[in-house]
Amino acid sequence: MILSNDAIQHNMPEVRTVAVVLNWRSADDTIRCVTSLLYIDRPLDIIVVDNDSGDGSLSRIRLALAEVASSAGVSLQDNLSEPRYLLNKRRALVFVDSGRNGGYAFGNNVGIGLALQQAATAYVWILNADTVVPAAQTLDALIARMDEDITIGLCGATVAYLGLNDTVQTRGGGRFEQWRSRSMPIGAGERTDAPVDINAIETELAYINGAATFARRAFIETVGLMSEDYFLYFEEFDWARQGRKAFRLGYAPKALVLHQVGGSIGTDDFGASSALSTFYLTRNRIKFLARHFPRCLPVAVVDEVIALIRNWRRGQIPQARARLRALTGRCYNG
């Protein structure tokens, strides 16, 4: 029997994307982010993972999104005891309590694992809670770039500053400058509509901005989940590095994501980092280099000691102490 094209399409599983949004005491940001996703009229499921906020975030988020989800034809599902969600013709919005604050990679891995239980999941879209997706064309552009080149495992968007919507934070992600032992964002400060050379950017890419990472299912199944021992920062760089032999990194310039930057940890791109972010940036820079670029460690340590002295001279005592604790292998103590 020869099946018609319509019959073949009817019997084929629908290719879907699952967005994973991690919440930790940032209910307002998460509500804003997920609301923007609910308005995307595409086969897009959404998983909200709460990393044991302990402040009622999950209940508040669910209540706030119920009406919007209903009007968008999205079914609400609670995943508090059974590690699965129901795939149906309607899009799903799933709420998950991870059970503990195990950090960025841990919480996102919970969502990724849940997403991959569905055979129809082709892509997992990891989004920070403090991001907003302004249009469905962002998702379309990411999928189109992935379809153009099946060797792309992770793809980045044009991430711009929320409130400065025409100013780029990163084009895809960043490069790694070995002589400085430091990663640097690509395209920072440029206008979002500036002409770009996609091939040049993709050649430079060493990691995809973790605020908006679009991952191919095959990449996750081949490379595995993100390393959870960083807790905060460098997970996306480590993930990209682990997959470099089997996959390349991509950039979809027409995919626009707006990012508030650092809302939950008290830091941004325009001022002094908080003590918390200083600690994890320092500790994980050393950890990452030791794992992947050990020859760069001496330069990085000298650089961090100079930064510590600078913190001290500027009266940034909490940051100086946090950096010192990171360099000496001690835990963060607030």
Side-chain angles (χ1 to χ4, degrees), residues 128 130 259-268:
N128 274 15
D130 57 0
H259 186 203
Q260 183 173 313
V261 186
S264 63
I265 54 173
T267 188
D268 57 43

PDB file of all heavy atoms in Angstrom, residues 128 130 259-268:
ATOM      1  N   ASN A 128      17.846  31.306  30.688  1.00  0.00           N
ATOM      2  CA  ASN A 128      17.860  31.883  32.024  1.00  0.00           C
ATOM      3  C   ASN A 128      16.501  32.470  32.358  1.00  0.00           C
ATOM      4  O   ASN A 128      15.791  32.968  31.475  1.00  0.00           O
ATOM      5  CB  ASN A 128      18.918  32.990  32.129  1.00  0.00           C
ATOM      6  CG  ASN A 128      20.288  32.459  32.466  1.00  0.00           C
ATOM      7  OD1 ASN A 128      20.545  31.254  32.362  1.00  0.00           O
ATOM      8  ND2 ASN A 128      21.184  33.342  32.863  1.00  0.00           N
ATOM      9  N   ASP A 130      15.958  35.222  33.688  1.00  0.00           N
ATOM     10  CA  ASP A 130      15.936  36.666  33.439  1.00  0.00           C
ATOM     11  C   ASP A 130      16.077  37.007  31.962  1.00  0.00           C
ATOM     12  O   ASP A 130      16.578  38.073  31.609  1.00  0.00           O
ATOM     13  CB  ASP A 130      17.013  37.380  34.260  1.00  0.00           C
ATOM     14  CG  ASP A 130      18.425  36.867  33.999  1.00  0.00           C
ATOM     15  OD1 ASP A 130      18.578  35.939  33.178  1.00  0.00           O
ATOM     16  OD2 ASP A 130      19.373  37.403  34.615  1.00  0.00           O
ATOM     17  N   HIS A 259      18.153  39.830  27.647  1.00  0.00           N
ATOM     18  CA  HIS A 259      18.703  39.301  28.902  1.00  0.00           C
ATOM     19  C   HIS A 259      18.912  40.426  29.905  1.00  0.00           C
ATOM     20  O   HIS A 259      19.608  41.407  29.621  1.00  0.00           O
ATOM     21  CB  HIS A 259      20.038  38.602  28.595  1.00  0.00           C
ATOM     22  CG  HIS A 259      20.637  37.887  29.756  1.00  0.00           C
ATOM     23  ND1 HIS A 259      21.986  37.598  29.849  1.00  0.00           N
ATOM     24  CD2 HIS A 259      20.076  37.387  30.887  1.00  0.00           C
ATOM     25  CE1 HIS A 259      22.217  36.954  30.969  1.00  0.00           C
ATOM     26  NE2 HIS A 259      21.083  36.816  31.622  1.00  0.00           N
ATOM     27  N   GLN A 260      18.335  40.241  31.077  1.00  0.00           N
ATOM     28  CA  GLN A 260      18.496  41.245  32.134  1.00  0.00           C
ATOM     29  C   GLN A 260      19.886  41.203  32.744  1.00  0.00           C
ATOM     30  O   GLN A 260      20.406  42.223  33.200  1.00  0.00           O
ATOM     31  CB  GLN A 260      17.440  41.035  33.227  1.00  0.00           C
ATOM     32  CG  GLN A 260      17.490  42.072  34.332  1.00  0.00           C
ATOM     33  CD  GLN A 260      16.316  41.918  35.281  1.00  0.00           C
ATOM     34  OE1 GLN A 260      15.169  41.780  34.866  1.00  0.00           O
ATOM     35  NE2 GLN A 260      16.607  41.930  36.574  1.00  0.00           N
ATOM     36  N   VAL A 261      20.486  40.039  32.829  1.00  0.00           N
ATOM     37  CA  VAL A 261      21.856  39.797  33.309  1.00  0.00           C
ATOM     38  C   VAL A 261      21.980  39.863  34.826  1.00  0.00           C
ATOM     39  O   VAL A 261      21.856  40.912  35.439  1.00  0.00           O
ATOM     40  CB  VAL A 261      22.892  40.760  32.687  1.00  0.00           C
ATOM     41  CG1 VAL A 261      24.299  40.350  33.128  1.00  0.00           C
ATOM     42  CG2 VAL A 261      22.811  40.756  31.172  1.00  0.00           C
ATOM     43  N   GLY A 262      22.241  38.696  35.420  1.00  0.00           N
ATOM     44  CA  GLY A 262      22.657  38.630  36.819  1.00  0.00           C
ATOM     45  C   GLY A 262      21.631  39.012  37.853  1.00  0.00           C
ATOM     46  O   GLY A 262      21.991  39.387  38.968  1.00  0.00           O
ATOM     47  N   GLY A 263      20.344  38.892  37.533  1.00  0.00           N
ATOM     48  CA  GLY A 263      19.335  39.339  38.478  1.00  0.00           C
ATOM     49  C   GLY A 263      19.329  38.590  39.797  1.00  0.00           C
ATOM     50  O   GLY A 263      19.068  39.176  40.844  1.00  0.00           O
ATOM     51  N   SER A 264      19.614  37.301  39.784  1.00  0.00           N
ATOM     52  CA  SER A 264      19.494  36.500  41.003  1.00  0.00           C
ATOM     53  C   SER A 264      20.750  36.494  41.860  1.00  0.00           C
ATOM     54  O   SER A 264      20.711  36.061  43.004  1.00  0.00           O
ATOM     55  CB  SER A 264      19.123  35.051  40.637  1.00  0.00           C
ATOM     56  OG  SER A 264      20.146  34.467  39.881  1.00  0.00           O
ATOM     57  N   ILE A 265      21.881  36.993  41.314  1.00  0.00           N
ATOM     58  CA  ILE A 265      23.128  36.920  42.087  1.00  0.00           C
ATOM     59  C   ILE A 265      23.759  38.285  42.304  1.00  0.00           C
ATOM     60  O   ILE A 265      24.897  38.381  42.759  1.00  0.00           O
ATOM     61  CB  ILE A 265      24.148  35.982  41.394  1.00  0.00           C
ATOM     62  CG1 ILE A 265      24.373  36.402  39.939  1.00  0.00           C
ATOM     63  CG2 ILE A 265      23.702  34.546  41.489  1.00  0.00           C
ATOM     64  CD1 ILE A 265      25.465  35.639  39.264  1.00  0.00           C
ATOM     65  N   GLY A 266      23.038  39.351  41.964  1.00  0.00           N
ATOM     66  CA  GLY A 266      23.509  40.694  42.290  1.00  0.00           C
ATOM     67  C   GLY A 266      24.716  41.156  41.524  1.00  0.00           C
ATOM     68  O   GLY A 266      25.631  41.748  42.095  1.00  0.00           O
ATOM     69  N   THR A 267      24.745  40.892  40.226  1.00  0.00           N
ATOM     70  CA  THR A 267      25.859  41.361  39.420  1.00  0.00           C
ATOM     71  C   THR A 267      25.363  41.681  38.024  1.00  0.00           C
ATOM     72  O   THR A 267      24.281  41.265  37.624  1.00  0.00           O
ATOM     73  CB  THR A 267      26.979  40.300  39.340  1.00  0.00           C
ATOM     74  OG1 THR A 267      28.117  40.873  38.712  1.00  0.00           O
ATOM     75  CG2 THR A 267      26.536  39.073  38.576  1.00  0.00           C
ATOM     76  N   ASP A 268      26.148  42.463  37.269  1.00  0.00           N
ATOM     77  CA  ASP A 268      25.801  42.745  35.891  1.00  0.00           C
ATOM     78  C   ASP A 268      27.077  42.998  35.100  1.00  0.00           C
ATOM     79  O   ASP A 268      28.178  42.842  35.621  1.00  0.00           O
ATOM     80  CB  ASP A 268      24.835  43.939  35.780  1.00  0.00           C
ATOM     81  CG  ASP A 268      25.384  45.206  36.402  1.00  0.00           C
ATOM     82  OD1 ASP A 268      26.588  45.501  36.192  1.00  0.00           O
ATOM     83  OD2 ASP A 268      24.632  45.931  37.080  1.00  0.00           O
TER      84      ASP A 268
END
